[in-house]
């Protein structure tokens, strides 16, 4: 398996799943059991070759982590120990507290602030906004639910990720209660338009309670101005939550950390260890400035969960009081191994290296007459496409869609599809420590070659 | 590590964490990185020896899974592949679909019903009730939030787990909207009292929308009568959700499956693979009878998540449309390995063996004049205590609390604390395939010995 990781670049970046594999993976369960060897052999034949490709150096799609050998080791150790980190007196709980302390230190959160590992930023945002809701309702939400006659409303940028709207939905607030504020020329949530929207909602009798900032927007890698948003939030007593799913990793690089100025003054921060911080899936995190409020939002014990002064049932505080999960896996161990092994410095270098590759791709695209950059490159995201000045907008979309499919099906590279403004784009997001300049050049050349090949066909 | 698993019974069931270990696990992160060997050595010294003990044959606390070597292997493979199961065209998604099909088959859910793996039953219940809420609001909750002037109310048994109230809280319904219905003589939610409560709520202008049944209650292993609850639910158009965290595993045993009669007719079922089904943490599951409604509750895509007809971005449906998580780990692989390796038959035997141990403990307790059973043994849960007829109720609580602590601190066994009625009890819940009659006898004898030793001290 370690060999498999080591030689990823000798394999296609993605492979279509053959029908017979699809059928094999739809078989009913044999009631009588099978040997370890048989199942492992089946895994090697039917599962491993048909990964999505995110460990491959020419995988650029969506926002995927790439994994590491040390993360794989930690996954094995965690599955062997099989710890349940809901609480109680055990070293795994101390490991999670330790990695949360490292995260607090990294982002300038005070000692005593709350924090917990979750499955990813989607759930971390749910938790952050649940605490915000708890504060906004004066703590009544837990017992009474949302019965506020003046509706709770929040704000985020038009470039924000859909996980924020989904969090509003799950929490019973509804996506209509999330106002999408246009971005300014720098691609960040426009603070003046935010101010205006809050005032309008106040006048309409609504109850503005939270603003969700984005650091590292999914389509363009854009950053909201946290200091400016903090000022608006303070003026109107709004909770300031940050979606830093991948962008928060910029904090590890002295080159990019200034884009996160003010991160140490937000109320809650959601981010992933499993994206740009190289930890295997799944490992997200939320930090909450007000640790007591965090606990007050989720704390709940019955007789069978009371703790004791001593023995296995001691060890307060318990993590089950800081989120919606009671049984909780040992996500912390892979974070612990990964951060310790690489250290902040090398992880920061990986961040910079990824951004360098993005810059290189941006330069390559701008240098090629047949390629077109769809948005400025500010971090690790590049949206671009093949151009053909004789094609209509619809034809151009179709052409680039075809290029994307061919890149995938030939196993050359895996960008993902998106739209920038009104136009289809190939989206490249580089979190992968294995990606180098050769991979970028290979992508550019393959796009050009396929584009030339296909544009004739599409135009006909 | 496999050796560690193999020789668990030669170690204490639990060990107190020494101060120097606690300090070691509070150290700041070294910025420059460390070698794999150094971190692994540190893990062996500071983490592994201070597990909670749930892999140990004399660990009986709370409801913990015990793990297996095949689960550890799967954990390693999953962490190496590092798949993100949000969606897209990859074999890991097919693996999750396959294990969900096995679960549908096991519980008699129809093809086309919805399902997804989650971190555990707590989140699975959130998802099940989110779908119920979506149905009850005619789909308006996603956009408008909960603004129903008639309040949504639900019902569960007084013996239900607190994760259900927590789900009501997270969903914005509030815990007051969850009516706790007393249990009948068999320990299950009383259908007649449920009927009465629903009528009262209707008369008060509320909107009854869901009943949450429990199969395997946490304190006594009691089962609600699903067929009786189905009738009440049908009469009032209520969603019937089942919390089967560990108790759903009874379905694997022909001896216990009759207690789950009607499970194939519920609207949603939440249960854990990581408890009695021997899969390592974390792996919970929800099945939703109405697959379209399940999808309609969570489906949400933006440009950067559109799928394509072909290539890596194909492979609909995507799991991100069936729950709150977008990035999702490869939980399915350890379920796939575990279910295939042991097969339903052997897993069912493990269920029966655990119940046999519980029965044995119940018999032992009843045979000992100094021990007292606090509730009938119906499955794998035994609540008991040391008795001392000269002691006051408060003294008896203190005595048994002391016994529990001594059992832990001497590393002899790990029951957990609870209360049955008004009285402190030692709670034993056996999910562990490693537990045998000798372990049960050792627990009974240690309880007697410590009880005799301590009762003199406490009485003085």
């Amino acid at each position: 398996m370690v060999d498999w990781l080591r030689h990823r670049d000798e394999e296609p970046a993605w492979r279509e799943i053959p029908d017979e594999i699809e059928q094999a993976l739809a078989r009913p369960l044999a009631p009588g059991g099978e040997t370890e060897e048989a199942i492992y052999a089946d895994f090697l034949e039917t599962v491993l070759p048909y990964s999505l490709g995110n460990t491959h150096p020419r995988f650029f799609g969506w926002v995927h982590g790439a994994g590491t050998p040390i993360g794989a080791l930690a996954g094995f150790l965690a599955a062997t120990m099989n710890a349940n980190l809901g609480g109680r007196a055990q070293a795994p709980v101390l490991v999670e507290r330790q990695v949360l302390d490292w995260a607090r230190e990294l982002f300038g959160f005070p000692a005593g602030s709350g924090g917990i590992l979750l499955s990813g930023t989607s759930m971390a945002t749910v938790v952050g906004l649940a605490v915000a809701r708890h504060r906004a309702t004066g703590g009544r939400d837990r017992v009474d639910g949302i019965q506020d006659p003046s509706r709770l409303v929040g704000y985020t940028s038009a470039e924000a990720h859909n996980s924020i709207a989904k969090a509003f939905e799950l929490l019973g607030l509804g996506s209509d209660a999330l106002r999408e504020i246009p971005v300014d020329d720098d691609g960040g949530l426009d603070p003046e338009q935010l101010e205006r929207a809050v005032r309008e909602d106040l006048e309409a009798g609504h109850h503005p309670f939270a603003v969700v900032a984005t650091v590292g927007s999914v389509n363009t890698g854009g950053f909201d101005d946290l200091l400016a948003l903090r000022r608006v939030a303070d003026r109107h007593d709004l909770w300031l939550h940050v979606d830093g799913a991948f962008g928060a990793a910029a904090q590890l690089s002295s080159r990019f950390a200034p884009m996160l100025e003010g991160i140490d003054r937000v109320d809650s921060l959601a981010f992933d260890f499993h994206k740009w911080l190289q930890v295997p899936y799944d490992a997200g995190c939320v930090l909450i400035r007000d640790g007591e409020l965090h606990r007050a939002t989720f704390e709940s014990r019955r007789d069978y969960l009371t703790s004791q002064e001593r023995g296995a049932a001691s060890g307060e505080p318990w993590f089950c009081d800081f989120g919606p999960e009671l049984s909780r896996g040992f996500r912390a161990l892979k974070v612990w191994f990964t951060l310790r092994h690489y250290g902040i410095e090398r992880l920061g270098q990986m961040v910079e290296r990824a951004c360098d590759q993005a810059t290189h791709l941006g330069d390559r695209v701008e240098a090629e007459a047949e390629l077109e950059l769809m948005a400025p490159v500010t971090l690790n995201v590049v949206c671009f496409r093949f151009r053909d000045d004789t094609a209509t907008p619809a034809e151009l979309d179709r052409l680039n869609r075809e290029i994307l499919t061919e890149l995938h099906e030939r196993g050359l590279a895996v960008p993902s599809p998106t739209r920038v403004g009104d136009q289809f784009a190939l989206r490249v997001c580089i979190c992968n420590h294995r990606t180098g300049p050769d991979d970028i050049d290979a992508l550019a050349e393959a796009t050009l070659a396929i584009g030339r090949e296909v544009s004739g066909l599409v135009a006909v």
Side-chain angles (χ1 to χ4, degrees), chain A residues 35-49:
Chain A
T35 64
E36 290 96 333
E37 292 76 12
I39 309 168
Y40 181 59
D42 201 26
F43 166 80
L44 292 179
E45 188 192 331
T46 64
V47 182
L48 189 63

Side-chain angles (χ1 to χ4, degrees), chain A residues 13-32:
Chain A
W14 180 82
R15 257 193 208 100
E16 197 180 347
I17 307 173
D19 288 347
E20 61 270 25
I21 297 293
E22 199 151 336
Q23 285 152 18
L25 290 174
R27 272 199 285 259
L29 185 61

Side-chain angles (χ1 to χ4, degrees), chain A residues 258-269:
Chain A
M259 298 168 82
L260 290 166
E261 203 185 344
I263 194 90
D264 56 337
R265 295 182 50 206
V266 305
D267 296 301
S268 53
L269 166 65

Side-chain angles (χ1 to χ4, degrees), chain A residues 72-206:
Chain A
L73 170 67
F76 168 69
L77 298 175
T80 309
M81 268 195 91
N82 195 35
N84 172 346
L85 278 82
R88 297 165 279 259
Q90 53 174 331
V93 164
L94 302 185
V95 171
E96 182 158 341
R97 284 191 201 142
Q98 189 176 27
V99 302
L100 289 169
D101 274 342
W102 297 342
R104 287 184 186 97
E105 170 74 22
L106 180 63
F107 293 107
F109 271 62
S113 54
I116 191 166
L117 297 186
L118 292 150
S119 60
T121 292
S122 290
M123 281 308 300
T125 290
V126 167
V127 168
L129 291 177
V131 182
R133 185 186 70 179
H134 193 61
R135 175 172 176 273
T137 59
R140 293 188 310 278
D141 59 336
R142 290 194 64 178
V143 174
D144 297 338
I146 306 167
Q147 298 188 48
D148 213 335
S150 62
R151 189 173 186 193
L152 291 171
V153 292
Y155 308 85
T156 198
S157 118
E159 293 289 325
H161 194 269
N162 73 328
S163 57
I164 297 157
K166 284 191 81 164
F168 268 66
E169 294 174 11
L170 193 71
L171 293 168
L173 302 167
S175 55
D176 249 15
L178 179 66
R179 282 45 165 134
E180 290 195 357
I181 309 296
V183 294
D184 58 22
D185 294 341
D186 296 330
L189 196 164
D190 186 329
E192 287 177 27
Q193 298 215 45
L194 171 63
E195 176 71 34
R196 207 171 310 142
V198 173
R199 286 179 193 276
E200 280 171 17
D201 276 323
L202 286 168
E203 278 161 29
H206 297 312

